[in-house]
Amino acid sequence: MSLSDDERKILEHAGGNPSPVDRQRAVGIYLAKSGSDRAAAAELLVKGFLTHLRPSFHLIPRGKSMADEASFADAYLALAEGTADFSRTDAVSLAAVLRSTPAALAPLRMIVGLTHNELAVAIKLTDPDARASGESLKKFERSPPPEQISHRYDQLATGIAHAVAAAMSREILAVSPSAATYFHSKLDKRDTREGWTSVRANSSGVPYSALLYQRYVGGIWRQVQDAYSEVKGDAILEYPLRDLLDEHGIPYHHTRPGASGAQETAERYGISPGPDFVIPDEAPTLVVESKVGEDGGTVRDKAARIRNMTAAAGAAGLTPCAVIDGKGWTERSAALLEVVVATQGRTYTMATLSQILELPEIQALISGSSR
């Protein structure tokens, strides 16, 4: 049977319809069709959800421990003053700055272009017995100086200084002649090409073109993206949903990040794979899986996980939902359709997230909390 005007309307508006009943009806219409009518229904159903998808590649995480620009500027000033504008850059001078202003490690790392984990490796190259780790360096950089300098703290500051000095002089982390045809060193940039001489020459300012080239080859936000990648994955969808549930007094279980967190949830509730949210946390009725997809290749795997979660939830007598976003879903309409059908239309995006409150399972919890 061909699609009626009413069916077309239901399909077209399903992605933004606050009524979970109408969303389910749209999936039912699609499933009831066959042949070319089913293909037409699929196109209309997917189109309605595509309208509400948004990319997330432009979002930069705000890590809780990330220094703001003013704090970074203060740390840089301490580094510049402590080295007499980079004219005293021996390991002893650098270590002295780090002991008094550990935050100066951030601009110092940016000069040599090393992450915390990479710097930890560099320290061990200069001192094989060093116990530095990426986490210990993060803690050093992000904590105020202690009232009393311990031996361990002094060792770490000294180790950092020696590693930075060795890297700048290319005693360590040098590019071998056989690789030089194909690879640059992280120091092969305007402000460090000639070591500290280049730093001093550029510390008073660089041409705007040099700044743009730095973005071109590395990206102004690259360090932040790498350091807080897990924050972006969680925050785009999970944190807003968490905040929405908190705002309305809805109890829930939020799965910890990583495979171990998913395993804990799976074991606690008997649902594998463990979903991101179980609502409420006691005697649950609803589960939610969230997935951001910025490229078409990954959304196929993410769609498969959501399908597996919905099957497990259904077997446990729970209502499955999904919250998705990202341009990757627009590139794989078949994957998007699979998710919509698997969740019986209970698929939401950032733009329609508040509509999840219209689900009867959540409405019952809102009503219960207002008594």
Side-chain angles (χ1 to χ4, degrees), residues 7 24 46 51 69 86 90 93 142 180 193 241 297 307 309 313 334 347:
E7 287 174 332
Q24 191 170 7
V46 168
T51 303
E69 191 168 356
F86 304 101
D90 56 278
S93 299
R142 298 169 182 177
R193 191 169 289 115
L241 177 55
R307 289 200 316 272
M309 184 276 295
T347 296

Side-chain angles (χ1 to χ4, degrees), residues 5 17 33 35 39 71-72 86 95 130 162-164 166 169 172 181-182 253 259 280 285 317 342:
D5 290 342
N17 197 322
K33 303 300 178 179
S71 299
F72 188 92
F86 304 101
H162 279 287
V164 170
S169 63
I172 61 171
T181 303
Y182 307 102
H253 168 79
T285 58

Side-chain angles (χ1 to χ4, degrees), residues 61 63 65 138 142 224-236 238-239 257-258:
S65 53
K138 284 181 185 178
R142 298 169 182 177
V224 177
Q225 290 272 46
D226 292 344
Y228 297 99
S229 59
E230 76 286 352
V231 175
K232 182 172 180 178
D234 293 339
I236 292 175
E238 292 186 34
Y239 290 179

Side-chain angles (χ1 to χ4, degrees), residues 26-51:
V27 173
I29 291 169
Y30 160 76
L31 292 175
K33 303 300 178 179
S34 60
S36 60
D37 289 331
R38 172 171 280 202
E43 183 177 353
L44 291 171
L45 182 59
V46 168
K47 184 178 179 181
F49 282 85
L50 288 174
T51 303

Side-chain angles (χ1 to χ4, degrees), residues 82-204:
T83 58
D85 290 328
F86 304 101
S87 62
R88 294 198 310 268
T89 52
D90 56 278
V92 173
S93 299
L94 292 175
V97 174
L98 291 167
R99 289 189 199 97
S100 61
T101 311
L105 176 54
L108 190 60
R109 285 192 306 104
M110 297 306 99
I111 289 173
V112 289
L114 298 177
T115 66
H116 294 102
N117 289 338
E118 290 167 350
L119 179 56
V121 173
I123 291 172
K124 291 177 182 178
L125 289 175
T126 58
D127 179 7
D129 296 326
R131 294 185 297 163
S133 66
E135 286 304 312
S136 66
L137 292 172
K138 284 181 185 178
K139 185 177 180 180
F140 181 96
E141 180 182 303
R142 298 169 182 177
S143 302
E147 293 183 6
Q148 289 189 326
I149 303 296
S150 66
H151 178 65
R152 167 68 177 148
Y153 192 88
D154 182 69
Q155 275 190 320
L156 193 54
T158 301
I160 294 168
H162 279 287
V164 170
M168 286 293 281
S169 63
R170 309 211 185 201
E171 295 173 34
I172 61 171
L173 304 178
V175 179
S176 66
S178 60
T181 303
Y182 307 102
F183 294 98
H184 292 288
S185 163
K186 284 193 170 186
L187 298 179
D188 291 339
K189 52 186 174 64
R190 180 189 177 95
D191 62 315
T192 53
R193 191 169 289 115
E194 302 300 327
W196 292 111
T197 300
S198 295
V199 174
R200 286 193 296 276
N202 286 273
S203 61
S204 58

